[in-house]
Amino acid sequence: MKPIEVASGIFNVGVVDWNIRDFHGYSTENGTTYNAYLIVDEKVALVDTVKKGFEDQLLENIADIIDPKEIDYVISNHTEMDHSGGLPRVMHKIGEDKPLYVSKMGFKNHSLHFSQKWNYHGVENGEELSLGKRTLTFLETKMLHWPDSMFTYVKEDKLLFSSDAFGQHYAGPEKFDDEIGDAVFPYAKKYFANILLLYTMKIEKLVETVTDLGLEFNIICPDHGIIWRKDPAKIIEAYVKWSGHKPKKKAVVIYDTMWHSTEAMAEKIAEGIAEEGVDVKPFNLRKWHRSDIMIDVMDAKAIVIGSPTLNNNLFPTVIDFLTYMKGLKPRNKIGAAFGSYGWSGESVKLINKEFEAMKVDLADEGLRIQYVPDDQGADACVTLGRKIGKAVLETS
Ligand code: FEO
């Protein structure tokens, strides 16, 4: 990717990672980008770097605009290695003594990630740095999504460097919201569901703070994906909506199966839910990636989980998914468990335990069927589905 001018004198000098398909357990079927920004003013600042392995391209992009040695300040909004992994090469190239601006927690975290003793400047929330015509303001955004995270705001341009927030794992020919249109929202929603869902209270608080401060945004520049310049309010509104945890009249049936019995149960339960007029989507865990399922979990009212019992335990893919979902802390859900078993049949009990840990209210104690569901078993599944469907209608 060649440098792209985002505003007068401000360039995206980041890179495209076309081929990444697994971003620490999140499926990135369209790759991603590591955006980094160069601000050329009386002083020159670089905001964030790129993932290790992409530094040459970053430095070439910078060199298309200025000699990298002319960079006066480096700002690292976030320690995670997809944005800071390029720091050692960049600092080596531009001068190891150049000031490196980080949040207070960023100072701690960078010091733990890197052995180099750089010229760190741990900023206070609201601290400013003048580049000449422009002033940068650093805004602490603790736990959005790491303790060290911060935003950098350019008040003269009303431009926000938002680190991971408002980003999307998307690599394509489009670089701005006006070029891609609403087609970017499924990527933004997936990003939110898998990275930010557990921090929604922090997001609501941040939006309140920003509103109180009267900050306006003409351009939002995240570190992944497209830049919001046509209608930045639209992604902020989407974040506010998603942070509200307001489920739709919708259910997801997530399961794995050994010999198709739990699958047969899933299909009948889904049939019962649909009979009540509730949208339902079944997900076989061996066909769907956990990070894609989370998009639907985010706005479903009912989470229905099915697992065979394997060696007195849950099926491994179901454990994987429950662990992942629990960490993301979905709220305002009802749940129900089901599963086929041979002789001991612990799966329903174990899923219910996970529901309890996630504060998911049970729509039913769950349904176990030994071996293969017969007609009576199939009817019981439909009945369970109808009960879940009714509960969705009553509670959403
Ligand atoms: Fe894109 Fe939290 O790193």
Side-chain angles (χ1 to χ4, degrees), residues 143-145 192-203 245 325-331:
M143 299 318 297
L144 285 175
H145 68 124
F192 189 97
N194 285 278
I195 307 279
L196 296 165
L197 188 64
L198 66 164
Y199 300 122
T200 50
M201 282 165 80
K202 300 261 176 204
I203 292 169
H245 294 268
M325 179 170 66
K326 186 162 64 177
L328 289 165
K329 297 186 169 58
R331 300 208 313 250

Side-chain angles (χ1 to χ4, degrees), residues 77-96:
N77 279 328
H78 178 30
T79 319
E80 195 163 6
M81 302 302 276
D82 49 332
H83 310 297
S84 69
L87 273 175
R89 281 282 304 284
V90 167
M91 296 306 284
H92 184 70
K93 180 81 178 178
I94 70 171
E96 305 273 357

Side-chain angles (χ1 to χ4, degrees), residues 291-328:
S291 57
D292 288 316
I293 299 173
M294 280 309 300
I295 306 169
D296 286 275
V297 165
M298 193 164 97
D299 51 22
K301 179 67 192 179
I303 305 172
V304 188
I305 307 269
S307 176
T309 297
L310 176 66
N311 302 330
N312 308 109
N313 215 322
L314 292 170
F315 205 72
T317 50
V318 179
I319 297 174
D320 172 281
F321 183 76
L322 285 167
T323 304
Y324 189 72
M325 179 170 66
K326 186 162 64 177
L328 289 165

Side-chain angles (χ1 to χ4, degrees), residues 324-345:
Y324 189 72
M325 179 170 66
K326 186 162 64 177
L328 289 165
K329 297 186 169 58
R331 300 208 313 250
N332 298 336
K333 308 293 184 194
I334 58 171
F338 65 97
S340 157
Y341 68 101
W343 47 99
S344 58

Side-chain angles (χ1 to χ4, degrees), residues 20 36 94 107 162 174 196 263-264 267 273 276:
I20 187 167
I94 70 171
F107 170 58
S162 62
E174 313 88 347
L196 296 165
E263 184 168 58
E267 284 164 5
I273 294 170
E276 292 298 323

Side-chain angles (χ1 to χ4, degrees), residues 32-51:
T32 194
T33 71
Y34 312 114
N35 301 339
Y37 299 95
L38 189 73
I39 310 169
V40 181
D41 203 307
E42 288 160 29
K43 296 284 186 183
V44 178
L46 176 67
V47 180
D48 293 323
T49 68
V50 293
K51 190 175 163 185

